[in-house]
Amino acid sequence: MTSPDELYALPREEFIPARRELARKTRAAGDKAAAAAIEKLPKPTTAAWLVNRLVRAHPDAVTELLALGADLRAAHSRAAGDELRELTRRRPELIRRLVALSGDSLSESVTRELADMFTAAIADEAAGETLRAGRVASAKDLQVEQAWPGLALAPSPPTEPAAKPASRQRATDTRRRRALAEAKAAVKEAEADRAEADRAVRDAEAGVAAAEKRVRDLTAELDAAEHAELEARRLLQTTRREAKAAERAASQAWRKLQQVEG
């Protein structure tokens, strides 16, 4: 892992540990400001992760999306009615195809967020380039302050005929069940993120404990080495004194020998 861009190409569940490791390496390299910025990079939503994956897996489809946006904006600026109507007709077809390319069995909320991001990329050139970069964290990254007339950033729901009370109740129950399922999925995802964060804390605590033990071991080794050095210096002083005494004794013995011989 060498850059923040690569984080957004990873499987979503690997984002947090990879972000932590990249920040650690960046800080170890001496760039504390960059490491702090990496630590603040947001984990992508499910829809944003699907978009980032789509950008890398189907770049031609993304190019087609941005080209359609450019053509629509150009046709609108020229007030080319026939061309604008044809391009407008193609827009939902292309968005549906891109949503289908993004994944299977997607929830309603994920599908809606995907459609919103693709629509924003059509409406605004800057949003399109942000999407093409492949490091989107959420639909907020592609917000368009003002869309040109005739383009709704959120697709309008289809008009349904007035339902009978029983049918309306069934529809309400269906929406509630769907909302409950999505809420449960969100809770499950949040719990997974919390579990990952807890694991990260435990790993960090284990690292601190290991580092403290290493410091204690090194301190003990240093104390032992200093004690050994002190003993060695004492032994050196003793042996030097003994060597000088032996030298004096040898000199006296030679003098005595000379006197005897003389």
Side-chain angles (χ1 to χ4, degrees), residues 43-104:
K43 180 179 179 179
T45 64
T46 298
W49 174 71
L50 290 171
V51 165
N52 295 333
R53 188 178 66 169
L54 177 74
V55 167
R56 292 169 174 82
H58 302 282
D60 293 343
V62 175
T63 298
E64 183 180 356
L65 178 75
L66 303 191
L68 176 62
D71 291 344
L72 271 166
R73 293 191 297 272
H76 180 267
S77 65
R78 297 195 308 270
D82 292 341
E83 182 181 358
L84 189 58
R85 282 189 291 274
E86 172 60 22
L87 293 170
T88 301
R89 183 189 62 78
R90 284 176 48 199
R91 179 174 63 90
E93 295 176 357
L94 179 55
I95 289 176
R96 282 194 294 270
R97 180 154 59 86
L98 289 176
V99 169
L101 282 174
S102 299
D104 301 323

Side-chain angles (χ1 to χ4, degrees), residues 106-121:
L106 303 178
S107 69
E108 182 180 351
S109 61
V110 170
T111 299
R112 184 166 55 250
E113 188 176 353
L114 284 169
D116 287 349
M117 287 191 283
F118 293 141
T119 304

Side-chain angles (χ1 to χ4, degrees), residues 196-261:
E196 173 60 32
D198 289 343
R199 283 194 294 272
V201 170
R202 289 195 296 271
D203 290 346
E205 289 175 343
V208 170
E212 289 176 344
K213 182 180 183 302
R214 179 61 175 159
V215 169
R216 289 195 298 271
D217 292 344
L218 290 174
T219 301
E221 291 179 13
L222 178 61
D223 290 344
E226 290 177 343
H227 180 72
E229 180 191 18
L230 181 60
E231 289 299 319
R233 289 184 181 279
R234 288 174 179 171
L235 179 60
L236 176 61
Q237 291 174 354
T238 300
T239 54
R240 281 176 174 172
R241 285 195 299 270
E242 292 175 349
K244 288 181 179 179
E247 184 179 353
R248 286 195 299 272
S251 297
Q252 291 174 358
W254 274 106
R255 284 195 299 272
K256 186 174 182 180
L257 175 63
Q258 291 172 349
Q259 290 173 358
V260 171
E261 289 177 342

